[in-house]
């Protein structure tokens, strides 16, 4: 193998605060070679981004402190150097030229007062000999390579005038500008839809191939790196817990944390009712360690008194259930349950039953045959999962008819017809009580505009929005506010949706005070505490502020606030798109639990088709402001009719062993 272009040894980073010293990165070591893609995977707070920022000299000193370690790198301008010991002037020669970085949040990384093109031109003029005209031409060429639409127009556009996916592509073009030796990509595809994500991954891999660039790819999603990584390094709480070739990590993970990350992501092929979470695979101890669990959340447990106990948190039943059995002797005390697709045959050749994929409303266990060794065990009928059943005679809770939302981009001049953007163009659909309808499509297709228009956060141009027979589009402001008690929204960015000056208790209490519901002040506060417990938080967190919570916890707070008025319908607008896969699994499970408990109807807007498959009863596929395909979720995924739907499904990262082997072979 070639010599490493970057060797990191024993990197330890501490942060000091009034609460004491916090160790963000502990004794991290790895090598990165030319032309190689090394993926660093882990949840928020695992130390991934801090590690990369240290290599770029971007750790704030103080409060940050690089306690130990070295990062040996061969720079064209400076020769063999330790990145951790360079001066600011030396780092300026390395950044952008030898090592470039794509940051996670492009809106905060791009200067809002400069056009997108001028910011790339600045990097080119700083690190190359190009004059202003040549730099502008090179920037347009880079924008074209990044597959930005109308590159000349985006060159003159400000960051706020383009979509999130387009801003990320501008960042990638800037990182590619000087053909760096190392490209650090910090969560570059977290909030992108699957087709844009696929293009971004192709762009990064194209740079690696053309210029033999080494790529350090940082992400929380193992599924994203399956096709592009050569090696994977898994971080947990600042430490490297596992590393190895990508195929080994996916087919034979050793650490329970890695197993949990792999299991948390929803898959198109498995119709589960509950997602596993990391806690199913490991339990943390008081001293910061962990206890490995068996990783099979649903188990059969043989018990006394001729009974069989089922402990299955995956199928929506949180407590252990016991059932009488016909046979007194149970050969194996523990027999795991599996899903339909991955159900193994027992020693007698029969399939073990798929309890975790049972349909809503069907018996949980009714005369199922569990084969333990060669003796069958009969389970008599137990209980059912209650859920509303849709019937043809049931009236829709929401009827949208020919809805249009148009934005003018130029007024008419000399009686010319004004130009408009048709963000939502003649959309019609129904949603029935107790149903979850998924709305999927690329960035800019009009999903969010449609969701906001339903609540008139964006005023529709024309059309009707019938909520329980009342046309929201025609209601006066006062009546509309009262109707919004029953029709709520969970926004994409939970931090932006919460007032940083209000405690989370006050944020959840506010809608009850505005609508004067919930009884007395004491009763309202009791309701807030109950909601905090419902979404998995504690009463002690009532007085905390939003910045004191993680992203997943803030999203839970937004869900609690949406539930405060006991709505009948909730619009979830990309509510899990920026969350870690393990936190995402917790929030998705929570939304489904709340749906069953409170009989809530969801319009679930997302760009992640795997999440949409897990959550939705029916799907709407949106493109350029129009619904191009709709139908039951399982049917649409199995037999897509529209070419656009097939493109979306084809863009989903493939993480099956055969796909990974093919990707590894093509990279070699």
């Amino acid at each position: 193998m070639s010599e490493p272009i970057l060797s990191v040894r024993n990197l330890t980073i501490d942060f000091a605060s009034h609460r004491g010293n916090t160790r963000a990165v502990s004794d991290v070591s790895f090598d990165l070679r030319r032309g190689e893609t090394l993926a660093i995977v882990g949840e928020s707070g695992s130390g991934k981004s801090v590690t990369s920022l240290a290599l770029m000299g971007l750790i704030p000193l103080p409060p940050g402190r690089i306690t130990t370690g070295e990062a040996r790198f061969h720079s064209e301008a400076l020769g063999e150097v330790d990145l951790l010991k360079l001066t600011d002037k030396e780092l300026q020669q390395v950044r952008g030229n030898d090592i470039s970085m794509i940051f996670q949040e492009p809106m905060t990384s791009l200067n809002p007062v400069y056009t997108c093109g001028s910011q790339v031109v600045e990097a080119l003029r700083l690190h190359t000999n190009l004059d202003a005209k040549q730099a502008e031409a090179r920037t347009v060429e880079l924008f074209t390579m990044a597959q930005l639409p109308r590159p000349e127009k985006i060159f003159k556009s400000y960051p706020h005038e383009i979509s999130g996916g387009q801003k990320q592509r501008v960042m990638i073009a800037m990182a590619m500008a000087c053909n760096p030796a190392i490209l650090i990509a910090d969560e570059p595809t977290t909030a992108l839809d699957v087709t844009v994500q696929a293009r971004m991954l192709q762009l990064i891999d194209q740079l690696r191939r053309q210029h033999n660039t080494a790529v350090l790819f940082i992400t929380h999603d193992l599924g994203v790196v399956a096709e592009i990584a050569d090696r994977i390094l898994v971080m947990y709480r600042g430490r490297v817990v596992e590393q190895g070739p990508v195929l080994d990590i996916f087919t034979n993970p050793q650490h329970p944390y890695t197993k949990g990350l792999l299991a948390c992501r929803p898959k198109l092929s498995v119709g589960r009712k509950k997602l596993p979470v990391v806690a199913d695979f490991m339990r943390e101890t008081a001293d910061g360690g962990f206890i490995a669990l068996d990783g099979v959340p649903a188990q059969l447990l043989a018990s006394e008194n001729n009974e069989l106990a089922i402990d299955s948190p995956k199928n929506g039943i949180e407590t252990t259930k016991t059932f009488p059995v016909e046979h007194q002797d149970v050969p194996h005390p523990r027999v795991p349950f599996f899903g339909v697709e991955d159900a193994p045959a027992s020693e007698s050749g029969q399939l073990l039953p798929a309890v975790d994929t049972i349909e809503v409303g069907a018996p949980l266990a009714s005369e199922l045959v569990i084969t333990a060794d060669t003796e069958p065990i009969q389970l008599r009928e137990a209980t059912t999962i209650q859920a509303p059943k849709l019937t043809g005679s049931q009236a829709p809770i929401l009827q949208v008819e020919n809805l249009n939302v148009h934005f003018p981009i130029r007024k008419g001049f000399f009686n010319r017809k004004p130009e408009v953007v048709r963000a939502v163009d003649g959309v019609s659909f129904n949603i029935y009580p107790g149903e979850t309808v998924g709305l999927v499509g690329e960035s800019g297709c009009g999903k969010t505009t449609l969701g906001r228009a339903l609540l008139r956060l964006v005023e529709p141009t024309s059309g009707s929005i019938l909520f329980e027979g009342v046309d929201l589009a025609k209601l006066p402001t006062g009546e509309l506010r009262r109707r919004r008690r029953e029709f709520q929204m969970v926004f994409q960015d939970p931090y932006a949706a919460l007032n940083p000056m209000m405690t989370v208790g006050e944020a959840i209490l506010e809608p009850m005070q505005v609508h004067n519901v919930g009884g007395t002040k004491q009763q309202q506060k009791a309701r807030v505490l109950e909601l905090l417990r419902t979404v998995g938080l504690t009463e002690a967190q009532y007085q905390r502020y939003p910045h004191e919570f993680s992203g997943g916890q803030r999203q839970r707070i937004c869900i609690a606030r949406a539930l405060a008025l006991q709505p009948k319908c909730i619009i979830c607008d990309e509510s899990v798109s920026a969350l870690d896969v393990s936190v995402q699994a917790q929030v998705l499970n929570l939304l489904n639990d709340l749906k069953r408990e409170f009989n809530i109807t969801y319009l679930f807007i997302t760009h992640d088709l795997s999440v949409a498959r897990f959550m939705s009863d029916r799907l709407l596929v949106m493109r350029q402001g129009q619904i191009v395909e709709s139908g039951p979720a399982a049917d649409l995924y199995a037999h897509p009719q529209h070419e656009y739907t097939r493109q979306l499904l084809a863009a989903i990262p493939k993480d099956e062993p055969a796909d990974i082997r093919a990707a590894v072979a093509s990279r070699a």
Side-chain angles (χ1 to χ4, degrees):
M1 298 181 67
S2 61
E3 288 294 318
I5 188 174
L6 174 67
S7 293
V8 177
R9 293 290 178 269
N10 309 115
L11 178 61
T12 300
I13 303 172
D14 294 328
F15 285 87
S17 69
H18 66 279
R19 296 179 180 176
N21 186 71
T22 300
R23 178 144 293 179
V25 175
S26 180
D27 200 31
V28 168
S29 300
F30 62 88
D31 291 329
L32 181 64
R33 294 173 173 81
R34 280 195 175 276
E36 179 186 43
T37 299
L38 173 65
I40 301 181
V41 180
E43 297 175 286
S44 297
S46 63
K48 312 183 304 295
S49 295
V50 173
T51 299
S52 65
L53 291 173
L55 300 178
M56 296 288 287
L58 297 176
I59 296 290
L61 306 173
R65 178 168 59 94
I66 299 175
T67 308
T68 62
E70 64 175 9
R72 308 300 302 180
F73 170 70
H74 182 77
S75 167
E76 292 185 5
L78 303 174
E80 189 78 19
V81 296
D82 184 352
L83 293 174
L84 306 181
K85 296 180 180 178
L86 296 182
T87 63
D88 289 342
K89 186 175 182 180
E90 291 171 331
L91 280 169
Q92 191 173 9
Q93 293 179 271
V94 172
R95 293 190 199 121
N97 190 32
D98 292 324
I99 305 177
S100 289
M101 188 167 183
I102 305 168
F103 294 93
Q104 178 174 358
E105 180 46 65
M107 191 63 210
T108 58
S109 304
L110 294 171
N111 193 322
V113 301
Y114 289 97
T115 64
C116 296
S118 65
Q119 298 185 57
V120 181
V121 167
E122 180 186 22
L124 286 167
R125 296 294 305 279
L126 181 64
H127 294 293
T128 68
N129 296 323
L130 299 178
D131 59 28
K133 192 171 183 179
Q134 291 172 326
E136 289 182 11
R138 172 61 177 162
T139 300
V140 173
E141 180 185 352
L142 288 166
F143 284 178
T144 304
M145 290 173 57
Q147 300 182 20
L148 281 163
R150 307 183 306 278
E152 293 83 1
K153 181 178 177 62
I154 289 182
F155 182 97
K156 300 176 182 179
S157 300
Y158 290 90
H160 72 273
E161 296 180 300
I162 60 178
S163 71
Q166 291 171 341
K167 284 193 282 281
Q168 195 63 286
R169 277 178 271 184
V170 170
M171 287 292 301
I172 291 177
M174 189 183 303
M176 294 164 55
C178 300
N179 300 326
I182 296 178
L183 175 64
I184 300 175
D186 185 9
E187 301 275 14
T189 62
T190 295
L192 302 183
D193 56 70
V194 287
T195 51
V196 176
Q197 174 181 275
R199 290 198 290 268
M200 295 302 97
L201 297 179
Q202 290 171 1
L203 277 171
I204 293 171
D205 197 55
Q206 181 182 350
L207 176 67
R208 178 194 67 84
R209 292 175 183 271
Q210 289 181 349
H211 304 286
N212 203 26
T213 302
V215 179
L216 194 63
F217 195 97
I218 298 169
T219 181
H220 63 260
D221 190 349
L222 272 166
V224 170
V225 302
E227 295 180 328
I228 68 161
D230 298 295
R231 291 187 298 119
I232 294 177
L233 184 146
V234 183
M235 291 188 68
Y236 174 69
R237 298 225 165 168
R239 295 181 178 273
V240 176
V241 296
E242 186 169 0
Q243 61 178 308
V246 58
L247 186 59
D248 291 351
I249 295 294
F250 272 85
T251 57
N252 189 29
Q254 300 299 309
H255 198 276
Y257 180 67
T258 310
K259 296 176 183 178
L261 288 180
L262 285 168
C264 287
R265 182 176 173 81
K267 293 189 177 182
L268 292 176
S269 59
V270 181
R272 288 174 172 155
K273 295 301 176 188
K274 197 111 177 177
L275 288 171
V277 296
V278 170
D280 295 325
F281 296 83
M282 57 186 293
R283 183 181 299 122
E284 297 181 14
T285 59
D287 60 358
F290 66 91
I291 299 172
L293 305 177
D294 56 20
V296 184
Q299 295 284 341
L300 280 179
L301 307 175
S303 62
E304 298 178 358
N305 303 323
N306 198 23
E307 289 182 334
L308 199 66
I310 292 184
D311 178 17
S312 181
K314 287 172 68 177
N315 58 20
I317 298 198
E318 301 297 337
T319 57
T320 299
K321 303 290 183 181
T322 59
F323 311 97
V325 297
E326 292 185 357
H327 299 273
Q328 294 185 6
D329 298 326
V330 181
H332 296 307
R334 293 176 71 83
V335 183
F337 278 75
F338 295 84
V340 170
E341 287 77 9
D342 55 353
S346 66
E347 294 180 10
S348 62
Q350 300 184 42
L351 290 180
L352 298 177
V355 171
D356 65 333
T357 58
I358 200 160
E359 291 298 322
V360 173
L364 175 64
S366 177
E367 295 297 331
L368 298 175
V369 177
I370 312 297
T371 302
D373 200 4
T374 57
E375 292 294 327
I377 302 170
Q378 297 289 341
L379 296 185
R380 298 197 182 98
E381 183 168 334
T383 184
T384 60
I385 302 173
Q386 298 297 331
K389 294 184 179 180
L390 302 180
T391 62
S393 60
Q394 193 171 21
I397 188 173
L398 180 66
Q399 294 175 273
V400 179
E401 297 178 2
N402 198 29
L403 185 66
N404 294 278
V405 181
H406 298 168
F407 297 107
I409 57 176
R410 190 173 66 180
K411 295 183 179 179
F413 188 66
F414 291 129
N415 296 323
R416 288 191 306 176
K417 187 177 180 179
E419 295 182 15
V420 297
V421 173
R422 298 176 181 272
V424 179
D425 190 12
V427 168
S428 300
F429 62 90
N430 294 336
I431 301 179
Y432 293 87
E435 189 181 26
T436 298
V437 173
L439 179 61
V440 299
E442 294 179 290
S443 296
C445 71
K447 306 186 303 295
T448 295
T449 302
L450 173 58
R452 290 172 177 264
L454 296 179
L455 282 166
R456 282 181 58 188
L457 300 176
V458 172
E459 286 294 335
T461 305
S462 62
S464 62
I465 308 164
L466 298 175
F467 181 70
E468 294 188 318
V470 178
D471 192 351
L472 301 183
K474 297 179 180 178
L475 286 182
T477 304
E479 182 62 25
L480 176 64
R481 175 178 290 186
R482 285 189 288 273
R483 296 297 302 186
R484 281 179 179 162
R485 286 176 49 183
E486 301 174 332
F487 199 3
Q488 290 289 301
M489 190 167 190
V490 179
F491 296 93
Q492 178 173 358
D493 186 350
Y495 193 73
L498 294 170
N499 189 330
M501 304 299 292
M502 297 175 66
T503 67
V504 299
E506 293 170 340
I508 300 172
L509 183 63
E510 184 183 32
M512 289 189 282
Q513 294 174 331
V514 168
H515 290 279
N516 194 26
V517 298
T520 65
K521 290 184 178 180
Q522 291 77 11
Q523 291 172 325
Q524 288 178 337
K525 184 174 181 179
R527 170 69 175 159
V528 173
L529 296 176
E530 179 187 353
L531 287 168
L532 286 173
R533 291 191 297 268
T534 299
V535 299
L537 299 174
T538 65
E539 295 182 7
Q541 293 169 319
Y542 181 96
Q543 296 293 344
R544 294 187 182 180
Y545 289 88
H547 72 272
E548 298 181 82
F549 294 87
S550 69
Q553 289 173 321
R554 283 196 289 266
Q555 197 60 284
R556 288 169 180 265
I557 294 164
C558 290
I559 293 171
R561 184 176 62 179
L563 291 172
L565 299 175
Q566 298 178 325
K568 297 177 181 178
C569 184
I570 297 178
I571 299 174
C572 298
D573 182 18
E574 299 281 11
S575 54
V576 297
S577 63
L579 302 181
D580 296 331
V581 286
S582 58
V583 178
Q584 173 183 276
Q586 295 171 10
V587 173
L588 294 178
N589 289 338
L590 171 65
L591 289 172
N592 276 334
D593 291 342
L594 294 173
K595 175 184 176 180
R596 286 190 289 267
E597 183 176 354
F598 298 108
N599 192 24
I600 299 173
T601 303
Y602 290 128
L603 175 62
F604 197 87
I605 301 172
T606 180
H607 63 259
D608 190 328
L609 276 78
S610 301
V611 170
R613 167 74 172 90
F614 171 74
M615 288 292 296
S616 306
D617 302 304
R618 286 190 299 120
L619 276 178
L620 308 174
V621 182
M622 196 168 186
R623 184 189 187 194
Q624 296 179 355
Q626 298 180 334
I627 304 296
V628 298
E629 186 170 359
S630 64
D635 293 346
L636 190 142
Y637 279 94
H639 307 289
Q641 301 299 310
H642 198 277
E643 178 60 28
Y644 178 66
T645 310
R646 290 193 285 268
Q647 291 175 5
L648 291 178
L649 292 172
I652 297 174
K654 300 175 179 61
D655 56 5
E656 297 300 324
D659 300 315
I660 298 173
R661 289 190 186 95
V664 170
S666 68
R667 293 171 66 81

